[in-house]
């Protein structure tokens, strides 16, 4: 099987490097700037689990003329629109699309473009970033990816994808509850991103100050109420663990959106917070804390250089 990874940033590059090192046929679809960087320096991952340095197979949109068995979409959500057009030649009648993006809007956009029958649900958990030289740096040790049919059924294509992904240096698994997994991930991202970004600190920083824990609890309650109204019923074990993680004293944990904000980079405010507010409004739900968070993030976005 052949996989095309759309984007060779911190997430796509991480999983792609692992797959390539394990001997899989991996090609990265990249923009000219990233192409130049990777051609010059190669693709490097720095991790406590072991470093990886490979010479990746690279292709640009202008050079893409054949289909792939798997297309792993690993761009930031704000770059999806252009990626949808770039990847068109790679999607054939039997191609499986695995999206690693945050939120849920991307699933609707991919289904509109390529048909819902091309999609598997997919959720990954990994904390990575790019350093100044373009190397991928992993924070922590977790590197999980799960995938499955959106209706929870077994299928040959899920089995084939799993055969391709397994034993490649990360935790790969099939899931019969992948839709709920994705909604649960969005819950964590929206709540943690709101706490970190509005308060400009880690989870531990926030809960250590007067009113911080109460603020965090309010964010969690608001996000959960929206997700359960517009998405699905979240599991009790997930809710208990999410509340524990998001109010944990001394926790250094921050969201990727917060790390991007602190670094002065573009952020996924519209996809993680804005889209949640759109869905809440459609259900007649009020979300005062998330509304404040979103306004704060929009001010930040407006101040970014073009």
């Amino acid at each position: 099987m052949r996989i095309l990874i759309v984007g060779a940033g911190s997430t796509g590059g991480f999983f792609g490097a692992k797959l390539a090192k394990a001997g899989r046929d991996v090609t990265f679809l990249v923009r000219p700037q990233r192409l130049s960087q990777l051609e010059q320096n190669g693709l490097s991952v720095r991790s406590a689990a072991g470093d990886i340095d490979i010479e990746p197979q690279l292709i640009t949109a202008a050079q893409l003329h054949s289909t792939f068995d798997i297309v792993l979409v690993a761009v930031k959500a704000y770059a999806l629109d252009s990626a949808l057009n770039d990847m068109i030649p790679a999607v054939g009648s039997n191609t499986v699309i695995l999206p690693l993006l945050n939120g849920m809007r991307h699933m609707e956009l991919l289904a509109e473009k390529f048909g819902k029958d091309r999609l598997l649900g997919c959720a990954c958990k990994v904390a990575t970033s790019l350093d100044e030289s373009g190397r991928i740096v992993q924070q922590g040790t977790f590197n999980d990816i799960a995938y499955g049919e959106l209706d929870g059924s077994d299928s040959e294509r899920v089995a084939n994808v799993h055969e391709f992904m397994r034993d490649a240096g990360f935790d790969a698994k099939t899931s019969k509850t992948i839709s709920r997994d994705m909604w649960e991930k969005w819950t964590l991202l929206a709540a943690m991103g709101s706490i970190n970004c509005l308060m400009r600190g880690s989870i531990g920083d926030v809960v250590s100050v007067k009113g911080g824990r109460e603020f965090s609890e309010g964010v969690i309650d608001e996000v959960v109420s929206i997700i359960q109204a517009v998405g699905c019923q979240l599991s009790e074990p997930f809710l208990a663990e999410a509340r524990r993680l998001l109010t944990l004293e001394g926790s250094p944990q921050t969201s990727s959106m917060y790390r991007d904000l602190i670094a002065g980079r573009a952020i996924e405010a519209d996809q993680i917070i804005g889209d949640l507010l759109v869905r809440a409004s459609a259900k007649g739900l009020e979300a005062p804390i998330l509304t404040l968070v979103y306004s704060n993030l929009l001010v930040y976005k407006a101040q970014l250089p073009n």
Side-chain angles (χ1 to χ4, degrees), residues 193-207:
S194 295
I195 294 167
N196 296 150
C197 291
L198 188 61
M199 303 302 278
R200 296 297 195 270
S202 69
I203 294 299
D205 292 333
V206 175
V207 299

Side-chain angles (χ1 to χ4, degrees), residues 71-83:
V71 173
L72 186 75
V73 186
V75 297
K76 289 286 190 178
Y78 49 75
L80 180 60
D81 285 344
S82 58

Side-chain angles (χ1 to χ4, degrees), residues 8 31-43 58 130-135:
R31 296 288 185 174
Q33 183 177 356
R34 185 63 168 152
L35 174 70
S36 176
Q37 190 176 50
L38 291 172
E39 285 182 333
Q40 181 176 349
N41 301 325
L43 180 59
L58 304 170
L130 294 180
D131 68 14
E132 293 180 355
S133 64
R135 298 184 307 177

Side-chain angles (χ1 to χ4, degrees), residues 280-301:
S281 178
K283 289 284 188 177
L285 301 175
E286 294 186 356
I289 302 177
L290 287 190
T291 300
L292 177 61
V293 170
Y294 188 49
S295 296
N296 180 277
L297 296 177
L298 291 180
V299 171
Y300 167 80
K301 285 181 62 178

